[in-house]
Amino acid sequence: MTITVADLLAQADQATAARDLAQAQALLRQAADADPNDPMILLRLAGVSRAVGQPRVALEAVHRALALRPLDFTALVMRAGLLDRLQPEQSGEAWGHALAQRPEGDLPPQLAAAVADGEARHAAWLDRREDRLKAATSAAELSANPDEQRRIKRFRSNSLRRTRVYHSDPTHFFYPELTEREFHPRSRFPWLRELEAATDSIAEEFAAVMAAERAELVPYIQYADHLPLDQWRPLNHNPDWTAIHLWQNGRQVAANATHCPHTMAMLQRLPQPGIAGASPNAMFSLLAPGTAIPPHVGVSNARLVCHLPLIVPDGCWFRVGGETRRWARGEAFVFDDTIEHEALNPSDQLRVVLIFDIWHPDLSPVEQEAVAALISADDQAVMAAL
């Protein structure tokens, strides 16, 4: 009578129940030899081999299983746990591989306990690596300027996988070979100091337009519900994120602009795009207490976006790619809104920021002309307001 793989597995179950782990291991070896392409048999063999005190045999079985299913979470956890005993210097990285494949939702208690221990081991391993990398770059950082130091720090963080790499991914218009930076260095925008010096007067004009009877305060996000723009759905037509537009899609909003002469004069001196039906854009952005702006990307990398914070309660933050900053009143910054970004006002007060677009400084005048011509001729240009 021929013994099938199913028979061998059933007998292995019986032997395990009887605590005859040596017999269970022998039966699982036979089953794995009979069906070498079933990773679950190999993982069972690994578990029994570990239980009988043969971690190297167990690790070999796990490696055979991973050759068949490289991203299997259970196999990766088992491998990392075995390396804790056999090769501790390699287990930190192994736990990183396992944690990267962790499924959503709750884990069984025994597995959850192993994963929690693995998280601690992985964190300690990362800390040791970071100490070595900091020591290696310390001499260079001592002679670096603040912007260079920030980039070196991010280089180290990316290398450790503490942060991920983000790229420009506009919804509509991508101009090639422009510098990709989450936050652009202040040195490229000498007018930022003049803008920041005008913070008080711009804030006064915001207060004036807020008090005006005919001012237009509208939801920041407004589009037809049937359009495929799921990144905005929670805030579509939502008064939790509103705007007082001064320029919208290249049109001056007179009802608001008339109350803000100093702000409008300042904007006239800045390198805002002039694109029919699309730009310039400038607005006071009002984020209600307890409101989150979900991760999203902008429409075109040919422009950058500037924020001048006017009213910033404690705790408000803004993330672009892998870098998160706290807004501070009167401290402007320029960022690429085609790199994933999000914001949060966790306070119980209103947050207000002046937002406007500018040309990407890598574009030459003739390239700006080409961008403006293409976008203004495209029937999707109206999306530039989002």
Side-chain angles (χ1 to χ4, degrees):
M1 179 178 178
T2 302
I3 299 179
T4 66
V5 171
D7 292 333
L8 292 169
L9 295 176
Q11 292 175 27
D13 288 339
Q14 293 172 1
T16 301
R19 297 187 178 279
D20 188 352
L21 298 184
Q23 177 64 9
Q25 184 189 42
L27 290 164
L28 288 168
R29 282 183 186 276
Q30 293 181 56
D33 289 341
D35 187 359
N37 294 318
D38 187 336
M40 298 311 297
I41 296 176
L42 291 165
L43 291 181
R44 290 180 61 181
L45 174 59
V48 171
S49 299
R50 180 179 57 187
V52 299
Q54 298 179 14
R56 294 190 183 279
V57 174
L59 185 60
E60 180 184 355
V62 169
H63 283 169
R64 288 171 61 190
L66 285 170
L68 297 168
R69 195 179 295 174
L71 301 182
D72 185 273
F73 176 63
T74 301
L76 290 168
V77 168
M78 188 175 292
R79 176 178 183 268
L82 289 165
L83 287 174
D84 282 337
R85 299 169 59 181
L86 296 170
Q87 297 170 301
E89 70 282 357
Q90 295 185 23
S91 68
E93 183 177 23
W95 276 114
H97 294 159
L99 296 171
Q101 302 305 320
R102 178 174 181 162
E104 295 183 2
D106 295 333
L107 299 173
Q110 186 173 359
L111 183 57
V115 168
D117 181 63
E119 288 174 333
R121 291 177 182 273
H122 181 247
W125 175 74
L126 278 181
D127 288 342
R128 292 193 297 272
R129 281 188 68 202
E130 185 165 19
D131 288 342
R132 290 197 302 273
L133 299 183
K134 279 183 177 179
T137 59
S138 60
E141 288 183 83
L142 284 175
S143 59
N145 63 41
D147 193 52
E148 291 168 336
Q149 290 175 349
R150 180 184 60 81
R151 293 203 302 274
I152 293 170
K153 181 179 179 181
R154 180 63 181 280
F155 172 52
R156 186 166 59 238
S157 178
N158 286 345
S159 301
L160 293 165
R161 301 295 187 268
R162 291 192 188 276
T163 51
R164 53 164 282 201
V165 178
Y166 290 83
H167 294 289
S168 172
D169 187 23
T171 59
H172 288 74
F173 303 105
F174 181 84
Y175 199 91
E177 300 181 24
L178 298 182
T179 302
E180 277 189 341
R181 303 186 78 155
E182 294 162 356
F183 291 91
H184 282 246
R186 291 178 59 90
S187 58
R188 302 203 74 181
F189 313 101
W191 43 264
L192 280 175
R193 288 191 177 184
E194 181 186 1
L195 175 69
E196 291 170 337
T199 297
D200 288 344
S201 60
I202 293 173
E204 290 172 3
E205 292 185 342
F206 163 72
V209 73
M210 278 289 287
E213 290 185 6
R214 296 187 179 182
E216 296 182 8
L217 178 64
V218 298
Y220 189 93
I221 303 301
Q222 300 183 67
Y223 64 88
D225 289 334
H226 67 272
L227 291 177
L229 295 170
D230 198 51
Q231 68 173 354
W232 290 118
R233 198 160 302 280
L235 287 173
N236 192 28
H237 302 291
N238 189 331
D240 286 343
W241 188 18
T242 52
I244 297 175
H245 292 277
L246 303 177
W247 286 97
Q248 185 175 23
N249 293 350
R251 178 183 65 87
Q252 188 176 123
V253 182
N256 299 329
T258 189
H259 301 285
C260 306
H262 184 85
T263 305
M264 296 300 292
M266 173 68 67
L267 291 170
Q268 288 288 342
R269 297 194 292 274
L270 302 180
Q272 286 201 273
I275 303 175
S279 186
N281 292 284
M283 72 214 72
F284 296 110
S285 167
L286 290 69
L287 194 62
T291 300
I293 300 174
H296 62 284
V297 295
V299 72
S300 170
N301 70 327
R303 72 171 189 186
L304 300 177
V305 176
C306 182
H307 280 192
L308 175 66
L310 302 175
I311 301 174
V312 188
D314 289 341
C316 292
W317 56 257
F318 184 69
R319 176 185 69 84
V320 184
E323 183 176 348
T324 299
R325 295 187 179 183
R326 298 293 179 113
W327 278 294
R329 187 180 191 275
E331 294 183 10
F333 55 76
V334 175
F335 69 98
D336 185 341
D337 78 332
T338 66
I339 295 174
E340 181 186 277
H341 57 289
E342 62 177 325
L344 177 68
N345 177 5
S347 76
D348 58 0
Q349 302 172 55
L350 183 69
R351 183 236 64 183
V352 180
V353 175
L354 175 68
I355 299 178
F356 57 89
D357 53 2
I358 60 171
W359 282 116
H360 194 297
D362 285 357
L363 291 170
S364 68
V366 71
E367 288 177 305
Q368 293 177 6
E369 180 182 349
V371 169
L374 185 147
I375 293 179
S376 62
D378 194 291
D379 60 6
Q380 295 297 305
V382 68
M383 298 303 296
L386 296 184

